[in-house]
Amino acid sequence: MNRIRVLSAGLQTTVQDLGRFGWAHFGVSASGAADPLALRAANLLVGNAENAAALEMTLVGGAFEFESATTIALAGSDFGAGVPLWTALDLPAGAVLRCGPTRSGARCYLAVRGGIAVDRVMGSASVHVMTGIGGRPLRTGDVLLIGDAAVRGALRAAPLIGEGGAAPDLPRDGLLRVTEGPQAGRFSGELYGGAYTVAEQSNRMGLRLRGPAIPSPPGGMLTEGVALGAVQIPPDGQPIILFVEHQTTGGYPKPANVISADFWKLGQLRPRDELRFQLVTLDDALKLLQTQEQWLFHLVHFGKL
Amino acid sequence: MIIRPASDRSLLISFGEEISLEAHAQVTRLTRALAGIRGILNLHPAFTSVLVDFEPRLRTHAEIEALVRERSEGPLEPDAVPPRVVEIPVRYGGECGPDLEDVARHAGLSPGGVVERFCAADYVVYFVGFATCFPYLGGLPAELAMPRLPAPRAHVAEGSVAIGGSQAGIYPLASPGGWRIIGRTELRLFDPRAEPPALLRMDDRVRFVPAGQEARPN
């Protein structure tokens, strides 16, 4: 099997696919790529199935040496690797790909034709960092095996890309579209009044925000199931957005939930980034998701938008 | 039954706001009835509700709602298979149960009296959730109920047996936590290589016994 040597691991580089589903009733959330759109695009560009295991780099990328000739793709944010994003690239044997600090958002994905070969735990290759399910973040000196999971040809035509690797239709505007959460009726729109900043303590479990405090509604509530992207309001009034490694149940009220079409933005938010919430209808949320799926289809089937 | 969207890919189904065995039976029935349906990605049962996550490119809210209504109809039948009974051996007090004396003071009992009452009760696993196989147990004797710590501990050991309000629970992994810790079990509640990975499952019945006094298999 072809191998990748990890010359430097980066800040937090993990193996991810689209997540580990079907275990929430045991308290295990899906984990999976923080920016699922970028992971899918990178995989599809190299000819993998969209759910193949790839590397997720966070804020500072790693350096990787490819033992044999390989086809790769980078997608998500520009980590200064000096190669184009959002397209398949052929690397000769012995090539070294050096990523560094991000020049745009929080995460960059490295997909390798054939996928990263790791054992699946509970049906998924994704590392759940907080619990260790599926493994651990990479360390310098690790060796990764490349699998043989490619399903079709790679797409090498460089697509149109925007500033900092962002795709033109997917602006990094700090605007998070949300639909009403289960306790929306107990709030009065305070969430939509001001801008929030992403706090340093944010991680794959949750994005902690700092900004205008939102008063907790009177009366308690029973612990209930919580969804990816739920915006929950703890007693201090500072919202927490539940992220890919979120708890499966919780007892804080939730005025809103980030829409599926904006999940990728959650994965690209960095500490100190500013964001605002905008309320949309369920119908609008589903139309935006459909538009995003069309964008991905165009990217990976035609190489342009 | 109240059904409402929780997000553009989930529905929250609620069977009231009071913790009860009736609501638990509804939650258990619905969770089991929806398991394995194509397009449903995750089920999050809780005290009186079930959150259903679905794939929005395959399923609509209306379709899932229709499924939920169809599968929650009719009177609740007693289970064909009786619930599993799981015995949990626990070391109480000392290093394993740093809050046992506080719980005893709060209850007006001796530490031994707390352990005796705690072990005499039958518990039901209302659901498993929070973070990785944490079982929420109903059936705690009312005199042992005690509010959570004012501020959570930074480190709770794996296997800690704890009281939080009127519930009991067991920490499956070392983590921060605000429940009152009275003992510790050496049983592994979570094993990612086991099938299923959780020792305790929704609707199991649980008995606690002092470590060393387990019923021996014949």
Side-chain angles (χ1 to χ4, degrees):
Chain A
M1 243 187 241
N2 289 341
R3 300 196 292 182
I4 305 171
R5 283 180 195 287
V6 180
L7 303 181
S8 82
L11 191 62
Q12 186 184 74
T13 303
T14 55
V15 175
Q16 297 293 339
D17 56 21
L18 289 174
R20 180 175 288 107
F21 290 93
W23 305 99
H25 58 296
F26 290 141
V28 179
S29 52
S31 186
D35 175 351
L37 197 58
L39 176 101
R40 291 167 67 199
N43 269 326
L44 292 167
L45 288 165
V46 296
N48 291 342
E50 63 172 27
N51 192 34
L55 296 182
E56 173 180 291
M57 297 181 272
T58 309
L59 297 172
V60 181
F64 308 95
E65 182 182 355
F66 297 85
E67 203 173 70
S68 312
T70 315
T71 301
I72 66 158
L74 291 170
S77 290
D78 180 0
F79 276 32
V83 297
L85 277 74
W86 306 101
T87 185
L89 302 163
D90 295 317
L91 300 182
V96 173
L97 181 78
R98 284 183 198 281
C99 300
T102 180
R103 296 175 178 182
S104 48
R107 289 182 177 85
C108 177
Y109 292 84
L110 166 60
V112 182
R113 181 167 171 82
I116 306 288
V118 290
D119 285 344
R120 280 164 203 278
V121 178
M122 295 158 66
S124 165
S126 284
V127 174
H128 194 285
V129 177
M130 301 313 240
T131 61
I133 299 172
R136 56 159 173 81
L138 294 186
R139 292 180 194 142
T140 298
D142 282 347
V143 174
L144 299 166
L145 300 178
I146 300 176
D148 56 359
V151 292
R152 57 190 179 82
L155 196 98
R156 293 180 177 83
L160 301 167
I161 57 161
E163 289 291 318
D169 277 4
L170 303 172
R172 297 218 161 95
D173 52 9
L175 187 66
L176 291 179
R177 277 82 56 96
V178 296
T179 52
E180 289 194 331
Q183 286 79 35
R186 295 167 63 180
F187 292 87
S188 48
E190 301 94 333
L191 190 64
Y192 310 104
Y196 288 87
T197 328
V198 178
E200 301 282 349
Q201 301 93 319
S202 300
N203 54 32
R204 283 172 48 92
M205 277 180 85
L207 296 172
R208 291 172 176 270
L209 307 185
R210 294 286 172 267
I214 297 175
S216 284
M221 58 170 279
L222 286 179
T223 289
E224 65 187 21
V226 292
L228 175 62
V231 182
Q232 64 174 24
I233 309 297
D236 71 0
Q238 301 293 314
I240 299 171
I241 304 174
L242 298 181
F243 203 21
V244 284
E245 293 187 16
H246 64 89
Q247 56 193 68
T248 57
T249 55
Y252 294 137
K254 299 168 289 291
N257 205 106
V258 176
I259 67 171
S260 297
D262 281 355
F263 282 173
W264 74 273
K265 288 186 185 176
L266 297 178
Q268 294 298 350
L269 283 168
R270 296 163 301 179
R272 298 187 295 284
D273 276 354
E274 193 168 278
L275 62 90
R276 288 172 176 276
F277 293 101
Q278 182 187 34
L279 185 64
V280 299
T281 65
L282 279 175
D283 279 348
D284 286 342
L286 294 170
K287 282 190 195 110
L288 289 163
L289 181 62
Q290 191 179 19
T291 305
Q292 189 172 90
E293 291 301 313
Q294 288 167 353
W295 173 88
L296 184 65
F297 187 91
H298 280 266
L299 176 75
V300 300
H301 288 272
F302 309 126
K304 60 186 166 64
L305 306 170
Chain B
M1 182 170 65
I2 296 170
I3 305 180
R4 62 200 144 149
S7 70
D8 66 7
R9 60 200 301 142
S10 64
L11 278 182
L12 183 65
I13 298 100
S14 170
F15 300 98
E17 297 292 321
E18 293 294 327
I19 299 175
S20 69
L21 288 174
E22 290 71 30
H24 169 66
Q26 300 272 9
V27 166
T28 303
R29 170 165 78 173
L30 182 62
T31 304
R32 287 179 179 161
L34 295 179
I37 292 178
R38 184 181 292 261
I40 291 183
L41 298 178
N42 259 324
L43 298 163
H44 304 235
F47 287 117
T48 67
S49 61
V50 182
L51 181 80
V52 182
D53 291 327
F54 58 90
E55 171 51 66
R57 291 166 298 182
L58 279 185
R59 294 288 199 170
T60 64
H61 288 79
E63 283 171 29
I64 300 293
E65 179 167 345
L67 258 172
V68 166
R69 292 198 184 281
E70 179 195 310
R71 310 264 165 135
S72 334
E73 273 177 358
L76 285 163
E77 313 258 332
D79 288 330
V81 183
R84 300 190 324 146
V85 179
V86 182
E87 195 179 81
I88 311 276
V90 178
R91 274 178 216 293
Y92 291 97
E95 199 176 273
C96 294
D99 299 325
L100 178 62
E101 299 211 355
D102 284 345
V103 172
R105 251 190 305 278
H106 188 260
L109 295 166
S110 67
V114 170
V115 171
E116 196 177 306
R117 282 171 174 74
F118 191 75
C119 290
D122 289 308
Y123 298 85
V124 56
V125 179
Y126 275 126
F127 66 100
V128 175
F130 177 53
T132 321
C133 301
F134 189 101
Y136 285 77
L137 305 174
L140 183 74
E143 65 269 29
L144 300 185
M146 188 170 179
R148 298 174 191 196
L149 294 169
R153 270 193 181 85
H155 180 84
V156 175
E158 176 178 334
S160 290
V161 174
I163 290 170
S166 56
Q167 266 84 46
I170 309 169
Y171 286 86
L173 297 173
S175 68
W179 291 31
R180 310 273 176 171
I181 300 156
I182 62 168
R184 195 186 301 167
T185 181
E186 288 180 5
L187 289 185
R188 274 190 91 182
L189 272 81
F190 168 66
D191 178 358
R193 303 277 169 191
E195 184 63 51
L199 174 72
L200 294 178
R201 305 161 211 167
M202 187 174 57
D203 206 41
D204 284 349
R205 302 311 194 253
V206 170
R207 297 280 305 201
F208 291 100
V209 293
Q213 296 176 28
E214 302 90 312
R216 305 249 174 242
N218 43 349

